[in-house]
């Protein structure tokens, strides 16, 4: 029974070919493309309004040098939200529950922010490793601690996204299984369990959007320190 709960996190295959590439490509096909007309439909207008508002909010604390990342961060936000939301549908696979994928997104982007800081302002970038006014005996210890915390950042990004989505999917499956088993035995309890399942599904929809936003927001904060 325990193995069946975790089967949903296995990458699906067809004739021995992993289908995770299809799951990663599908979200881009679902986005509506802007038309050449002066007036767009409601869906494209809503999509443009959301992208503009999110980009303005994301780039608010950044200087002009960080605005070059606007397209990348906004595209990553839409990509993660779409993957997380599609993963809540029945009989679907959520690629963002794979730690390897999340680390593959977090490590290069985090490393790019560090390289930019070391190239543009090496003194300020290395100054984050040692707070001002630190007593001399604590300097070696603090440098080691700050260096470890710097390298933990991409791991925290990937693990946070993976853990939240995995825990949510497991809770939904556990409560759905409980409601299905209790239905012939205790219908009243099964109905209450189904109500809890519905509320948990609404919560997971919110978590799917919030975790994508947090992932991109933390990347923008790391970028803010280095530009």
């Amino acid at each position: 029974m325990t193995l069946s709960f975790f089967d949903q996190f296995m990458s699906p295959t067809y004739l021995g070919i992993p289908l995770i590439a299809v799951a990663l490509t599908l979200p881009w096909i679902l986005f509506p493309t802007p038309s050449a007309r002066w007036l767009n439909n409601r869906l494209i207008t809503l999509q443009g309004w959301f992208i503009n508002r999110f980009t303005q909010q994301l780039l608010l604390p950044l200087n002009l040098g960080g605005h070059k990342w606007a397209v990348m961060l906004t595209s990553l936000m839409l990509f993660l939200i779409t993957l997380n939301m599609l993963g809540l549908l029945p009989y679907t696979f959520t690629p963002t529950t794979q730690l390897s994928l999340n680390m593959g997104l977090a490590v290069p982007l985090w490393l790019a922010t560090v390289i930019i800081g070391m190239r543009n302002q090496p003194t300020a970038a290395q100054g984050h490793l040692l707070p001002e006014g630190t007593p001399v005996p604590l300097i070696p210890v603090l440098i080691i601690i700050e260096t470890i915390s710097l390298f933990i950042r991409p791991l925290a990004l990937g693990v946070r996204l993976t853990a939240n989505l995995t825990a949510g999917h497991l809770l939904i499956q556990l409560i759905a299984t409980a409601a299905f088993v209790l239905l012939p035995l205790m219908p009243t309890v099964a109905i209450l369990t189904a109500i809890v399942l519905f509320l948990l599904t609404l919560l997971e929809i919110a978590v799917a959007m919030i975790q994508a936003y947090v992932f991109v927001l933390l990347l923008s904060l790391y970028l803010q320190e280095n530009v």
Side-chain angles (χ1 to χ4, degrees):
M1 191 67 178
T2 305
L3 291 177
S4 63
F5 284 145
F6 288 92
D7 284 346
Q8 58 178 318
F9 304 118
M10 297 176 59
S11 178
T13 58
Y14 182 73
L15 298 177
I17 302 173
L19 298 181
I20 187 171
V22 178
L24 293 175
T25 309
L26 182 62
W28 299 111
I29 304 175
L30 300 178
F31 293 142
T33 56
S35 63
R37 297 178 297 179
W38 287 6
L39 294 177
N40 294 318
N41 56 35
R42 293 182 178 88
L43 183 59
I44 296 180
T45 303
L46 181 62
Q47 175 184 311
W49 175 85
F50 171 76
I51 292 176
N52 289 334
R53 293 293 299 172
F54 171 75
T55 306
Q56 291 175 5
Q57 186 69 25
L58 188 67
L59 301 181
L60 192 61
L62 297 177
N63 55 24
L64 293 178
H67 290 186
K68 301 175 183 177
W69 288 58
V71 176
M72 181 183 297
L73 294 179
T74 305
S75 302
L76 180 62
M77 169 75 173
L78 292 175
F79 183 59
L80 291 178
I81 283 183
T82 310
L83 284 179
N84 296 346
M85 297 291 287
L86 290 177
L88 294 174
L89 297 176
Y91 302 105
T92 56
F93 171 67
T94 312
T96 45
T97 56
Q98 306 296 311
L99 183 60
S100 57
L101 173 66
N102 296 332
M103 293 300 294
L105 293 174
V107 172
L109 294 174
W110 163 83
L111 188 59
T113 61
V114 174
I115 293 175
I116 288 176
M118 291 295 182
R119 186 189 64 180
N120 295 342
Q121 44 182 5
T123 304
Q126 296 177 16
H128 291 299
L129 301 179
L130 185 63
E132 188 177 355
T134 304
V136 177
L138 295 179
I139 289 178
V141 179
L142 278 181
I143 291 178
I144 295 174
I145 293 175
E146 291 295 331
T147 304
I148 293 174
S149 67
L150 178 66
F151 283 97
I152 282 179
R153 284 180 174 182
L155 181 63
L157 278 177
V159 170
R160 181 187 295 108
L161 183 59
T162 303
N164 280 281
L165 295 179
T166 302
H169 284 67
L170 283 176
L171 277 176
I172 288 177
Q173 187 168 3
L174 285 170
I175 296 179
T177 304
F180 181 76
V181 172
L182 291 174
L183 186 60
L185 302 177
M186 292 178 285
T188 305
V189 179
I191 293 175
L192 293 176
T193 307
I195 294 174
V196 173
L197 177 63
F198 175 74
L199 297 177
L200 180 62
T201 304
L202 296 180
L203 177 63
E204 283 305 311
I205 294 175
V207 168
M209 294 186 288
I210 291 172
Q211 288 303 317
Y213 175 72
V214 168
F215 189 92
V216 177
L217 179 63
L218 288 177
L219 280 176
S220 69
L221 293 178
Y222 299 158
L223 180 64
Q224 179 185 356
E225 295 180 358
N226 295 282
V227 294

